[in-house]
Amino acid sequence: MSSMFGKVKAGNSADRSPAECNLVLLGAMGSGKSALTVKFLTKRFICEYDPYLEDIYTSEEIVDQQPVTVRVMDTCDQEGPVNSERYLSWANAFLVVYSINNMESFKGSQLYLQTLALHNKTFRPRTPIILVGNKLDMDRYRPVSQCDAEAVASRFGCLFFEVSACLDFLSVQHVFYEAVRRARQG
Ligand code: GDP
Ligand code: MG
């Protein structure tokens, strides 16, 4: 009986699995936030993208057989986590991006993780965070080891993936879909 009632309620705003999900991409300039966003939305790699363009894009997706309107905020902070109020309570999940071939971007990602950890101390439900090492195609030139990044991810209690915006689409899609799944878990 209760499961039938659950079905009737599906789609209701009080449902545990919201039909909308707001994702925010954060990280140092040049880490590939826009390239990942464009890849997720169009399956294509665009190598030149306006570095000063911050925007929100919407895409209708089906994640685990459930339709969801995914909104992606592609940020472009030039000085780390400043004016973070604009996305902190809007987000249902955060993707903190760095580039595996750039140590500064990895350090920068930790500033974002600290800001988000502070936010999650008081904000309920706690907003899930995914640490994303981008530019996996540059594996030969990496100063940031997978092991170091895993250690940071576990310290901040977040998921961790390495991807490349210019390699396969499904790996990039997987990261965005994992963000939706985590957000659904509330
Ligand atoms: P953003 O400032 O974080 O939005 O970074 P962009 O998406 O604008 O990317 C910065 C630069 O890195 C651009 O020249 C992109 O072409 C390049 N780029 C982005 N993703 C990748 C990637 O996965 N691999 C490689 N080799 N270059 C990438
Ligand atoms: Mg950008």
Side-chain angles (χ1 to χ4, degrees), residues 1 3 74 127 129 132 150 159:
M1 194 63 183
S3 66
D74 174 26
T127 315
I129 305 163
V132 184
E150 270 163 6
L159 285 179

Side-chain angles (χ1 to χ4, degrees), residues 73-85:
M73 183 190 289
D74 174 26
T75 65
C76 64
D77 290 334
Q78 293 174 56
E79 295 163 44
V82 288
N83 302 322
S84 39
E85 301 76 25

Side-chain angles (χ1 to χ4, degrees), residues 104-170:
E104 284 306 307
S105 75
F106 182 56
K107 289 182 184 153
S109 72
Q110 291 167 62
L111 297 179
Y112 282 100
L113 291 174
Q114 280 158 13
T115 300
L116 300 180
L118 205 60
H119 170 69
N120 271 338
K121 268 191 175 170
T122 52
F123 194 77
R124 291 293 173 272
R126 195 181 164 278
T127 315
I129 305 163
I130 300 184
L131 180 64
V132 184
N134 186 37
K135 309 199 186 179
L136 189 54
D137 55 293
M138 303 297 275
D139 199 24
R140 283 164 300 166
Y141 312 104
R142 63 154 77 208
V144 185
S145 74
Q146 192 168 346
C147 188
D148 287 350
E150 270 163 6
V152 167
S154 90
R155 179 147 51 89
F156 285 97
C158 46
L159 285 179
F160 167 60
F161 294 99
E162 286 186 343
V163 290
S164 166
C166 56
L167 296 179
D168 69 303
F169 164 71
L170 287 178

Side-chain angles (χ1 to χ4, degrees), residues 14 22 29 33 37 74 108 133 157:
N22 296 343
M29 283 192 85
K33 299 177 296 296
T37 300
D74 174 26

Side-chain angles (χ1 to χ4, degrees), residues 53-108:
L53 183 64
E54 174 163 307
D55 214 338
I56 298 175
Y57 306 90
T58 303
S59 179
E60 302 299 331
E61 302 285 335
I62 296 182
V63 181
D64 302 333
Q65 290 87 46
Q66 295 177 57
V68 54
T69 302
V70 178
R71 292 194 202 88
V72 182
M73 183 190 289
D74 174 26
T75 65
C76 64
D77 290 334
Q78 293 174 56
E79 295 163 44
V82 288
N83 302 322
S84 39
E85 301 76 25
R86 72 191 189 282
Y87 52 72
L88 280 179
S89 51
W90 182 82
N92 298 119
F94 296 104
L95 286 85
V96 177
V97 181
Y98 67 93
S99 163
I100 69 161
N101 65 351
N102 185 312
M103 184 54 82
E104 284 306 307
S105 75
F106 182 56
K107 289 182 184 153

